[in-house]
């Protein structure tokens, strides 16, 4: 295994999120997506990216601004940079990247655009000493705001957008077989694989094959034609570069244009993304981040320092233009693409997609494969690199070279991390810790205002921890007792949980307290085990719970997280206990609030 497939295998091994119970079923999705005469007809979807941007006041284009202008908390954007710079050092043994460009914003405001480290640092890798051979100081190149990076598998998003554009125009059908456009593709038992299965990585293709071993383009294509699926189409999720390479061949067949021409004509030129393209010219090289000293055994090809050419071996062997890799871009251009999608397919006066098509790209087609949520081309709800930005509607992708794009329609925010993490060699890093750290900071920068008053209690976002918020022991023997408060939670599903517990023995033992929550305009939700986890819509809910009757009843919220990823956390506001018709506790009374004990929880005015 090589390239992005290996990186992804590492990432998903670190932990994959579960699935909330309110996701679309295949039957529901089928009612909404209809192939009519070869065109894609899309019935109304729930509020999606376009609706989110309209709620923010129109369809913005990007401008530079402050955190306050973006509706973000500045201290957490500063923390984003601080955390990113830490990965320039041992992580844990070697730097995760030589340098990076960080871009974060909300609405039409880019509140952070910051380069760190070096775009070009090493001339070679010394495998005997496991060290990088540095260029002389005068020849090293610092990262800059407009540094261009090899996007690696983030390129797949461009191929996917080009595909759904053709669906809008009636030239491509989502549920059509690939072989109906490319008869040769049916070889190896692939006659039933559909376009949708290519876009959602459910075709059955293995992760990759070394196309670069075939000396001619015809030979490489023959390897694809002959490749059998590992599993029947639609029965398993397996991320594969071959899916998007195959989709490239379909697009080139139905349009009569090469993929690089399609990228220019249909996306980058209309959107003004002038630093985004396949095969950048030699004149761009000083402004491009270097990647790997590519040599066997870690690379399939012996190329030396790769700088200004695509890193991925298969993409390189295909002339630098491939559906799965090969696009070079800068952070601002990717932000323009992200803003376009969050706008529902429009940027300024240019429309590249319909709003309903963007909704479709951000809708989970893989409900049969919990943890592998996927729209058309876009991954959804992946905590392993989206961190606390992950929601059922958060869309994005990573690239093996150290790149990522994350779009959160819920908060109308976007994050670009472009790093050269294979410089000087791919073995120096694994996982997605810098991406997660950046996403956590941006998620934290979106304030959660108290439901009432000036402060609420916040659980924090630390991993591998337990935080408790405890009310004083109360006498509830005077009659039926009930707790009421406002509750807000967003956690990594099933891995991080919020418990409501009671103790009647000062407190030697704690028991779960069943409770009910209800968001404004929603239906009551029962929590019989006294726990909450996963996605709750990032809105305040009204919590009610019946309490035991005893002379001394203590109540606490206990928030536990595992060692890997976290969500945005939990908030409690205005707890109030009534017993026998009288108020036994009310956090709005200063004397009562002072008796609460917080371990790990903090008072928050966010």
């Amino acid at each position: 295994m090589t390239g992005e497939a290996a990186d992804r295998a590492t990432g998903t091994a670190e932990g994959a999120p579960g699935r909330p119970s309110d996701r679309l079923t295949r039957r529901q999705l089928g009612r909404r997506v209809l192939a009519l005469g070869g065109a894609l007809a899309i019935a109304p979807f729930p509020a999606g990216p376009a609706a989110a941007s309209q709620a923010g006041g129109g369809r913005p284009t990007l401008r530079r601004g402050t955190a306050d202008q973006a509706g973000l908390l500045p201290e957490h954007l500063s923390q984003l940079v601080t955390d990113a710079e830490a990965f320039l050092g041992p992580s844990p043994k070697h730097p995760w990247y030589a340098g990076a460009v960080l871009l974060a914003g909300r609405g039409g405001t880019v509140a952070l655009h910051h380069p760190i480290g070096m775009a070009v640092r090493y001339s070679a890798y010394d495998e005997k000493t496991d060290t990088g051979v540095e260029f002389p100081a005068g020849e090293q190149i610092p990262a800059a705001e407009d540094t261009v990076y090899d996007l690696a598998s983030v390129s797949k998003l461009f191929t996917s957008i080009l595909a759904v554009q053709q669906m809008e125009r009636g030239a491509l059908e989502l549920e059509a077989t690939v072989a109906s456009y490319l008869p040769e593709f049916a070889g190896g038992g692939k006659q039933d694989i559909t376009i949708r299965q290519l876009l959602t990585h459910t075709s059955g293709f293995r992760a990759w094959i070394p196309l670069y071993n075939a000396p001619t383009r015809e030979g490489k294509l023959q390897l694809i034609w002959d490749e059998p699926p590992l599993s029947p189409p639609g029965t398993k999720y397996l991320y594969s570069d071959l899916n998007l390479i195959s989709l490239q061949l379909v697009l080139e067949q139905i349009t009569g244009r090469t993929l690089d021409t399609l990228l220019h004509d249909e996306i980058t030129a209309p959107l003004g993304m002038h630093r985004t393209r396949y095969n950048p010219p030699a004149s761009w090289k000083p402004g491009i981040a270097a990647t790997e000293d590519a040599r066997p055994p870690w690379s399939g090809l012996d190329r030396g320092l790769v700088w200004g050419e695509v890193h991925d071996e298969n993409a390189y062997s295909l002339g630098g233009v491939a559906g799965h890799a090969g696009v070079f871009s800068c952070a601002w251009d990717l932000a323009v693409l992200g803003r376009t999608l969050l706008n529902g397919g429009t940027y300024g006066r240019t429309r590249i997609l319909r709003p309903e098509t963007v909704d479709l790209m951000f809708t989970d087609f893989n409900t049969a494969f919990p943890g592998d949520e996927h729209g058309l081309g876009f991954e959804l709800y992946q905590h392993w690199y989206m961190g606390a930005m992950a929601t059922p509607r958060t869309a994005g992708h990573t690239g093996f070279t150290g790149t990522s794009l994350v779009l959160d329609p819920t908060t109308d925010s976007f994050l670009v991390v472009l790093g050269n993490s294979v410089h000087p060699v791919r073995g120096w890093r694994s996982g997605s810790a810098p991406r997660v750290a950046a996403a956590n900071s941006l998620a934290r920068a979106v304030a959660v205002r108290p439901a009432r008053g000036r402060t609420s209690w916040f659980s924090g976002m630390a991993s591998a921890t337990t935080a408790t918020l405890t009310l004083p022991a109360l006498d509830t023997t005077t009659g039926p007792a009930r707790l009421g408060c406002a509750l807000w939670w967003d956690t990594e599903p099933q891995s991080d949980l919020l418990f409501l517990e009671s103790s009647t023995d000062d407190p030697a033992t704690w028991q779960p307290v069943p409770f009910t929550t209800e968001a404004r305009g929603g239906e009551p939700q029962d929590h019989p085990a006294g726990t909450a986890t996963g996605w709750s819509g990032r809105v305040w809910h009204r919590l009610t719970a019946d309490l035991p009757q005893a002379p001394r009843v203590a109540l606490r919220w206990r928030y536990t997280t595992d060692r890997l990823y976290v969500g945005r956390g939990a908030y409690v506001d205005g707890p109030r206990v009534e017993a026998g018709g009288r108020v036994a506790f009310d956090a709005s009374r200063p004397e009562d609030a002072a008796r609460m004990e917080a371990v790990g929880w903090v008072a928050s005015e966010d």
Side-chain angles (χ1 to χ4, degrees):
M1 185 182 297
T2 188
E4 176 70 5
D7 191 42
R8 188 165 303 273
T10 302
T12 52
E14 294 173 346
R19 181 185 65 182
S21 60
D22 60 349
R23 304 301 300 275
L24 290 173
T25 66
R26 286 184 178 274
R27 180 173 297 178
Q28 289 170 325
L29 192 58
R31 288 199 295 264
R32 297 179 177 187
V33 185
L34 305 172
L36 298 177
L40 188 65
I42 307 167
F45 272 74
S53 63
Q54 289 168 348
R59 301 173 183 270
T61 55
L62 295 181
R63 62 188 181 277
R64 297 179 185 272
T66 65
D68 288 340
Q69 288 169 335
L72 298 170
L73 302 174
E75 62 269 28
H76 298 294
L77 288 187
S78 297
Q79 188 63 46
L80 191 159
V81 175
T82 300
D83 290 344
E85 289 176 335
F87 291 100
L88 294 170
S91 306
K93 182 179 179 181
H94 299 291
W96 198 88
Y97 37 39
V101 178
L102 316 165
L103 187 150
R106 190 179 186 200
T109 302
V110 173
L112 173 71
H113 191 186
H114 191 81
I116 61 173
M118 308 303 293
V120 180
R121 179 176 178 181
Y122 305 101
S123 62
Y125 169 69
D126 186 342
E127 66 269 31
K128 293 181 180 180
T129 61
D130 190 26
T131 58
V133 180
E134 294 190 355
F135 280 107
E139 297 179 24
Q140 297 183 29
I141 302 175
E145 285 186 353
D146 62 351
T147 296
V148 170
Y149 286 79
D150 178 345
L151 297 184
S153 283
V154 176
S155 305
K156 291 180 170 71
L157 299 181
F158 292 95
T159 309
S160 302
I161 291 169
L162 292 169
V164 296
Q165 284 178 333
Q166 294 303 314
M167 294 177 196
E168 286 188 346
R169 298 168 191 177
L172 187 65
E173 293 185 36
L174 185 62
E175 298 298 341
T177 63
V178 180
S180 66
Y181 303 100
L182 298 170
E184 304 93 331
F185 184 85
K190 301 192 297 300
Q191 66 277 358
D192 295 329
I193 292 176
T194 66
I195 299 298
R196 173 174 57 81
Q197 289 161 353
L198 296 183
L199 284 162
T200 57
H201 295 283
T202 56
S203 67
F205 263 135
R206 72 181 68 208
W208 75 288
I209 55 177
L211 300 177
Y212 52 81
N213 284 338
T216 65
R217 182 177 179 84
E218 290 73 18
K220 302 177 200 304
L221 296 185
Q222 194 62 51
L223 289 175
I224 296 174
W225 306 150
D226 295 340
E227 178 70 15
L230 291 180
S231 56
T235 62
K236 291 184 179 180
Y237 172 89
L238 177 58
Y239 180 85
S240 174
D241 290 347
L242 299 178
N243 289 317
L244 276 294
I245 296 173
S246 299
L247 188 59
Q248 168 194 0
L249 300 174
V250 171
L251 290 171
E252 292 180 340
Q253 174 68 24
I254 64 177
T255 66
R257 290 181 283 172
T258 59
L259 191 65
D260 54 340
T261 300
L262 285 169
L263 175 70
H264 174 269
D265 293 350
E266 304 292 349
I267 301 176
T268 62
L271 294 178
M273 298 170 60
H274 300 306
R275 290 181 68 78
T276 303
R277 60 170 293 164
Y278 287 101
N279 289 328
S283 61
W284 283 27
K285 185 174 179 179
I288 297 177
T291 53
E292 188 174 36
D293 180 9
R295 291 180 279 120
W298 56 86
S299 173
L301 297 173
D302 190 352
R303 299 169 61 193
L305 180 64
V306 178
W307 180 12
E309 293 180 322
V310 63
H311 171 261
D312 182 90
E313 295 96 331
N314 279 341
Y316 176 75
S317 75
L318 289 166
V321 179
H324 72 295
V327 177
F328 287 72
S329 188
C330 66
W332 189 272
D333 274 13
L334 278 186
V336 168
L337 180 69
R339 186 66 262 161
T340 301
L341 295 167
L342 289 168
N343 285 349
T346 297
Y347 191 80
R349 297 182 179 180
T350 299
R351 176 173 293 283
I352 64 167
L353 291 171
R354 301 176 194 162
E356 58 268 29
T357 305
V358 178
D359 280 338
L360 192 67
M361 298 186 81
F362 287 14
T363 297
D364 183 22
F365 279 77
N366 284 0
T367 56
F369 311 109
D372 294 314
E373 290 83 350
H374 217 289
L376 298 183
F378 279 86
E379 297 169 334
L380 307 173
Y381 207 23
Q382 298 298 308
H383 284 79
W384 69 270
Y385 70 91
M386 297 175 179
M389 288 183 71
T391 79
R393 292 169 51 208
T394 302
H397 216 286
T398 64
F400 182 71
T401 50
T403 60
S404 60
L405 171 67
V406 179
L407 308 175
D408 177 14
T410 304
T411 60
D412 204 26
S413 57
F414 48 93
L415 174 66
V416 179
V417 176
L418 298 183
N420 52 351
S421 63
V422 297
H423 184 55
V425 69
R426 66 189 70 185
W428 273 17
R429 67 92 176 93
S430 64
S432 286
R435 297 169 176 138
V436 171
N440 285 350
S441 289
L442 181 55
R444 181 67 182 88
V446 178
V448 177
R449 304 298 181 191
R452 59 177 68 90
R454 295 184 58 184
T455 62
S456 59
W457 288 96
F458 174 44
S459 67
M461 292 170 55
S463 60
T465 192
T466 296
T468 57
L469 179 66
T470 308
L471 271 60
L474 304 171
D475 182 356
T476 60
T477 60
T478 56
R482 169 166 284 206
L483 166 71
C485 69
L487 184 67
W488 190 108
W489 77 94
D490 173 51
T491 78
E492 185 190 2
Q494 308 308 318
S495 298
D496 302 337
L497 291 93
L498 178 67
F499 299 83
L500 177 61
E501 298 170 319
S502 68
S503 175
T504 59
D505 52 8
D506 284 332
T509 58
W510 293 91
Q511 302 295 327
V513 176
F515 59 89
T516 299
T517 58
E518 184 175 355
R520 180 178 297 178
E523 295 294 325
Q525 300 292 321
D526 292 329
H527 302 259
T531 63
T533 186
W535 168 251
S536 71
R538 291 194 176 176
V539 295
W540 284 100
H541 295 244
R542 179 63 183 168
L543 177 148
T544 56
D546 292 327
L547 304 178
Q549 291 184 244
R552 291 180 60 83
V553 177
L555 292 173
R556 75 177 183 185
W557 287 268
R558 178 167 59 92
Y559 181 54
T560 65
T561 59
D562 66 8
R563 67 180 182 85
L564 293 175
Y565 317 113
V566 296
R568 184 57 178 77
Y571 290 78
V572 171
D573 194 5
R576 175 185 171 99
V577 176
E578 294 185 3
R582 69 175 182 86
V583 177
F585 179 90
D586 189 339
S588 66
R589 300 188 302 213
E591 62 273 20
D592 282 354
R595 298 166 62 203
M596 297 176 67
E597 296 182 4
V599 179
W601 292 69
V602 295
S604 172
E605 297 182 3
D606 292 344

